[in-house]
Amino acid sequence: MTLRRWAAGAALLLSAGALANCSQIFGSGESGEGITTAMLVGADADSANWISHGRTYSEQRYSPLDAVNRDNVGQLGLAWSADMDTARGQEATPLVIDGRLYLTTAWSKVKAFDAATGAKLWEYDPEVPGETAVKACCDVVNRGLAAYGDKLFFGTLDGRLIALDRNTGKVAWETVTVDQSKSYTITGAPRVIDGKVIIGNGGAEFGVRGFVAAYDANDGKELWKFYTVPEGKQGPDAPAYLQKAAETWNMDVLRESDAIGGGGTVWDSMAYDPDLDLLYIGVGNGSPWNRAYRSPGKDGTGQGDNLYLSSIVAVRASTGEYVWHYQTTPGETWDFTATQHIMLADMEIGGRMRKVLMQAPKNGFFYVIDRETGKFISAKPYVTVNWATGIDPATGRPIENPETRVDKTGKPALVTPGALGGHNWHPMAFSPKEKLVYIPAFEAGMMYAPEANWKPDRNRGFNVGFNLGAGDLPPDGGFRKQVAGSLRGMLVAWDPVAQKARWTVEHPGPWNGGLLATGGGLVFQGTTGSEFNAYDAGTGKKLWSFAAQTGVVAPPVTYTVDGEQYVAVLAGWGGAYALSVDGDLIKRKAPVRNVSRLLVFKLGGKATLPAEPALAELPLDPPPSTASPEVIALGQAKYGRYCAVCHAPGAVGSTVLPDLRRSGALENAAAWSAVVHDGALKDSGMASFKGSLSKAEIEAIRAYVIKRANEDKALEAGKKIARR
Ligand code: CA
């Protein structure tokens, strides 16, 4: 069905309630053909297309299409594929409009294809400077586009919001949305509400102050801006909700240091209820993570809830005004963002219909909240949780385990979920037929170690207030195997009314793909095991599998062209887990690498992929370790703060970026310094660290990596060596 025919039909179908908001639906400034507010509000009726990030404003990622179904999914085959031109994480949800498929890929590039044939229509590269990568906590990814009128909108890693002509890929306008002197990045997809393009940003590991803002779809002019945390120097004229927030912080810290912005970035999830005109935003972690540094009390421990960190906030979409909030993790200190997928649905709970909002944030509890009022309805753990024993139903507050709060000194604590969460950005899906929410969940605990004399660094590196260098795994094969065994990845089918899992599918490890549920009774998901699978939505039985040659983290979409149903997914391993956990350990669970490619399927599809590339690994052949223990210890501390997040803790080799133990520069101090100090590889994403690390510290890091490489070489040779 073409958009014009669909729009005519949908206008008749719109309820009287929706039509009461006519000015909103047929908002001013829309020219010619293209996506209208009415289409976005009524997107559920348009099964042929996928016109907004979560398919509908409710973000259910459920398509009623059923031509591909339980009975025939075994005949699903590759229709076409398209190679991406990078080997970094692929996290985007494609949009499909009238037979054309649009997507974003790594480094904020955009590509358009004929959705049936795969013919490339146009591509656009915003030319993000390579050294921007060092500002990004979690890979140079982008999660997608928004469409409105004849334009497409997306954010770039360096903080721009760009509008492209949908037919040509030419720039209509672009605007810088952030202070580019700070470590703000954009990886999330915008949403468009009544002609306003809404976008947030990331950077809460690097000292920024979070906000979300609305821009005019016609010209990019800023219309409103909503900050999520108070400003150190704010006065009595600050909005009431920020004055209320200030009462929950030690404002001295925010006032004193421009390197501590408080965090609370809105880097991914949004949902919208057009009847209530409420935009729901997911707010991220504190900056720094450790509350004892971010908001210290008199006794040196942390104080205060620190609103609106780790909260779901309802904002009036037309004005940007605060309406209500629900804080999932008061006084957050573990990087427990509430930026995870927000999904809206209406369901019967306790004998009456409720308009609810659902979220499985990082903290491990699945929440059902009343989306009209923000009142807590219920929450239960969807993964193993040790930081809290439950949520008090009277107050909606967690019942904390005090042993898991680590301040400036004292014992480290193994906390689960860890900083990656029990669920991260990977979208969930909801089947109204099965009344189940499908969660791409995982278990990966983290050791939080205190750092007694932490200071923020405005320039480079993780500003989290914990000792990230203390978490090295000992070079002991048995212990590492044990840790690998504790990692779990699973697809959980969650009954949100009963608050329990109906079934669970185990995967080879954490960090599996986002989800799609369909009217054909199917749930589609890619895995860390390099498969793209279809499961029975009612039972979890695996009905179909495709060898994707790469880990798949992005969520699939489905659409039709000339009545034929297609399923599309962007394959390509990457993101926070792929960069920042033990690469050796991941490879023990399931070998995985990045082959970035769009895969599109249909019944009877006969296309094939090129031959799978061999898993190449450079030899582990370091120079001898001759540095003093003091130099190595300095290198370990600096590595933990500045290198581990991209090259893995303990230099054990991330699965996407170079394994430093095997680096050619390891035996040559000058070559090492040319990269780390002088920025020789900045265009590839490896920025200079000269503002944060001295030449002696950079050389100490090399000594530490040499020592680690020798330990692991001995381990590989089967010669177990004692931990020093
Ligand atoms: Ca974070």
Side-chain angles (χ1 to χ4, degrees):
M1 192 189 303
T2 67
L3 282 181
R4 190 192 302 224
R5 278 174 54 206
W6 175 82
L12 293 173
L13 290 170
L14 283 171
S15 69
L19 283 174
N21 246 341
C22 250
S23 65
Q24 212 173 302
I25 289 167
F26 303 103
S28 58
E30 288 173 13
S31 57
E33 283 193 65
I35 302 296
T36 63
T37 297
M39 289 178 189
L40 290 167
V41 170
D44 194 40
D46 178 17
S47 60
N49 293 312
W50 190 290
I51 63 172
S52 94
H53 189 62
R55 187 170 173 273
T56 58
Y57 277 141
S58 65
E59 305 270 331
Q60 291 183 358
R61 290 180 180 266
Y62 171 79
S63 166
L65 292 177
D66 60 2
V68 178
N69 56 49
R70 285 183 175 105
D71 298 329
N72 64 16
V73 68
Q75 297 157 36
L76 203 59
L78 192 67
W80 58 272
S81 67
D83 288 347
M84 298 295 115
D85 51 6
T86 68
R88 300 293 293 263
Q90 306 297 333
E91 298 188 352
T93 300
L95 297 186
V96 181
I97 303 170
D98 276 357
R100 292 179 172 191
L101 184 149
Y102 308 94
L103 58 79
T104 57
T105 177
W107 295 106
S108 327
K109 297 182 196 180
V110 187
K111 295 178 192 295
F113 300 93
D114 180 305
T117 67
K120 192 188 285 179
L121 303 173
W122 54 258
E123 56 192 333
Y124 174 73
D125 179 357
E127 296 180 351
V128 170
E131 58 194 316
T132 311
V134 80
K135 294 181 173 183
C137 69
C138 306
D139 207 348
V140 295
V141 295
N142 189 286
R143 284 182 292 280
L145 303 145
Y148 187 69
D150 58 1
K151 296 188 187 75
L152 294 170
F153 309 91
F154 69 103
T156 65
L157 198 68
D158 55 348
R160 289 171 284 159
L161 180 65
I162 298 182
L164 299 179
D165 180 299
R166 183 152 53 81
N167 288 313
T168 63
K170 296 275 186 297
V171 175
W173 53 258
E174 74 170 77
T175 185
V176 176
T177 67
V178 301
D179 175 351
Q180 287 179 314
S181 76
K182 297 187 173 172
S183 289
Y184 283 104
T185 51
I186 299 179
T187 57
R191 312 296 197 277
V192 178
I193 298 171
D194 189 26
K196 297 177 183 68
V197 188
I198 320 279
I199 189 75
N201 44 63
E205 273 63 54
F206 306 90
V208 307
R209 181 182 179 213
F211 66 88
V212 61
Y215 301 85
D216 190 320
N218 285 316
D219 56 15
K221 190 172 149 258
E222 185 185 302
L223 300 172
W224 56 252
K225 188 181 250 185
F226 180 91
Y227 281 100
T228 59
V229 295
E231 186 182 23
K233 59 176 190 289
Q234 80 184 16
D237 55 337
Y241 81 96
L242 286 177
Q243 295 189 44
K244 184 178 156 198
E247 293 165 14
T248 68
W249 289 74
N250 177 340
M251 292 296 288
D252 293 344
V253 172
L254 292 182
R255 246 190 309 271
E256 279 158 19
S257 175
D258 144 83
I260 294 184
T265 49
V266 184
W267 56 262
D268 196 53
S269 67
M270 290 186 253
Y272 177 60
D273 183 325
D275 292 334
L276 301 172
D277 188 28
L278 289 182
L279 165 70
Y280 305 99
I281 58 169
V283 182
N285 56 279
S287 189
W289 295 355
N290 191 337
R291 186 180 60 161
Y293 285 106
R294 187 179 70 235
S295 183
K298 289 195 179 68
D299 60 356
T301 66
Q303 71 169 25
D305 286 353
N306 294 183
L307 291 172
Y308 297 89
L309 297 180
S310 304
S311 299
I312 297 157
V313 182
V315 176
R316 184 74 59 211
S318 47
T319 60
E321 288 168 291
Y322 165 92
V323 180
W324 60 252
H325 77 275
Y326 175 80
Q327 190 171 40
T328 58
T329 312
E332 100 77 23
T333 200
W334 305 276
D335 188 19
F336 281 171
T337 63
T339 52
Q340 281 54 53
H341 187 170
I342 293 173
M343 180 190 280
L344 314 181
D346 296 349
M347 56 184 62
E348 190 180 318
I349 298 174
R352 65 181 173 116
M353 286 303 288
R354 304 288 295 264
K355 289 177 185 287
V356 308
L357 175 158
M358 297 179 283
Q359 190 187 51
K362 276 190 185 177
N363 77 13
F365 289 90
F366 186 93
Y367 292 84
V368 179
I369 305 290
D370 184 318
R371 75 170 180 272
E372 294 182 280
T373 62
K375 291 278 181 301
F376 174 86
I377 295 175
S378 62
K380 287 284 185 230
Y382 62 90
V383 289
T384 305
V385 169
N386 78 348
W387 72 276
T389 55
I391 310 295
D392 181 334
T395 62
R397 292 179 71 93
I399 304 153
E400 265 190 44
N401 169 5
E403 287 176 16
T404 60
R405 269 207 187 259
V406 176
D407 295 315
K408 295 178 183 174
T409 57
K411 280 194 308 187
L414 182 62
V415 183
T416 180
L420 290 164
H423 165 224
N424 207 289
W425 62 270
H426 314 75
M428 308 187 295
F430 176 69
S431 168
K433 283 186 171 174
E434 303 291 342
K435 298 186 166 55
L436 290 174
V437 177
Y438 304 94
I439 314 170
F442 58 91
E443 298 194 345
M446 175 171 160
M447 190 71 86
Y448 293 74
E451 166 115 42
N453 296 302
W454 179 83
K455 295 271 182 299
D457 181 344
R458 195 186 187 283
N459 181 49
R460 290 270 186 272
F462 252 34
N463 270 328
V464 301
F466 290 111
N467 179 357
L468 295 177
D472 285 15
L473 296 176
D476 170 320
F479 184 84
R480 283 169 74 167
K481 203 170 161 190
Q482 210 181 327
V483 173
S486 75
L487 294 172
R488 280 180 77 199
M490 54 272 192
L491 166 56
V492 178
W494 191 261
D495 179 336
V497 177
Q499 283 283 18
K500 61 181 188 191
R502 192 175 298 167
W503 51 259
T504 298
V505 172
E506 295 282 339
H507 292 317
W511 213 250
N512 299 285
L515 290 159
L516 164 70
T518 73
L522 299 171
V523 174
F524 288 91
Q525 186 184 29
T527 74
T528 184
S530 299
E531 291 180 340
F532 181 56
N533 296 333
Y535 303 90
D536 185 310
T539 65
K541 186 180 176 207
K542 194 201 277 189
L543 299 177
W544 173 82
S545 183
F546 179 82
Q549 302 184 354
T550 181
V552 180
V553 294
V557 300
T558 187
Y559 58 91
T560 62
V561 180
D562 297 331
E564 185 160 37
Q565 185 179 353
Y566 295 80
V567 177
V569 69
L570 196 48
W573 179 247
Y577 178 82
L579 297 187
S580 69
V581 303
D582 183 338
D584 286 353
L585 193 147
I586 293 179
K587 286 173 209 154
R588 266 187 204 100
K589 298 280 283 193
V592 62
R593 92 300 282 285
N594 180 294
V595 182
S596 289
R597 187 183 274 150
L598 179 69
L599 305 172
V600 181
F601 302 89
K602 66 176 182 179
L603 292 175
K606 294 279 189 289
T608 54
L609 293 180
E612 186 164 1
L615 260 178
E617 194 152 61
L618 296 167
L620 185 53
D621 195 17
S625 178
T626 56
S628 70
E630 292 74 25
V631 168
I632 289 169
L634 173 67
Q636 177 175 1
K638 296 297 175 186
Y639 181 94
R641 176 139 184 197
Y642 292 99
C643 316
V645 66
C646 287
H647 293 281
V652 283
S654 95
T655 49
V656 177
L657 295 181
D659 180 343
L660 299 183
R661 296 169 305 176
R662 300 167 201 272
S663 164
L666 201 55
E667 56 187 294
N668 184 327
W672 186 267
S673 180
V675 174
V676 185
H677 184 273
D678 304 339
L681 297 179
K682 69 181 168 63
D683 292 340
S684 316
M686 174 60 198
S688 159
F689 282 74
K690 69 181 168 199
S692 295
L693 292 166
S694 68
K695 285 195 168 174
E697 288 167 340
I698 287 168
E699 180 59 9
I701 291 172
R702 188 175 75 95
Y704 164 68
V705 177
I706 289 172
K707 177 226 162 205
R708 285 290 305 110
N710 277 284
E711 286 174 343
D712 290 348
K713 185 180 179 186
L715 191 64
E716 278 188 8
K719 291 179 274 179
K720 300 252 165 66
I721 56 170
R723 181 88 166 143
R724 67 175 159 75

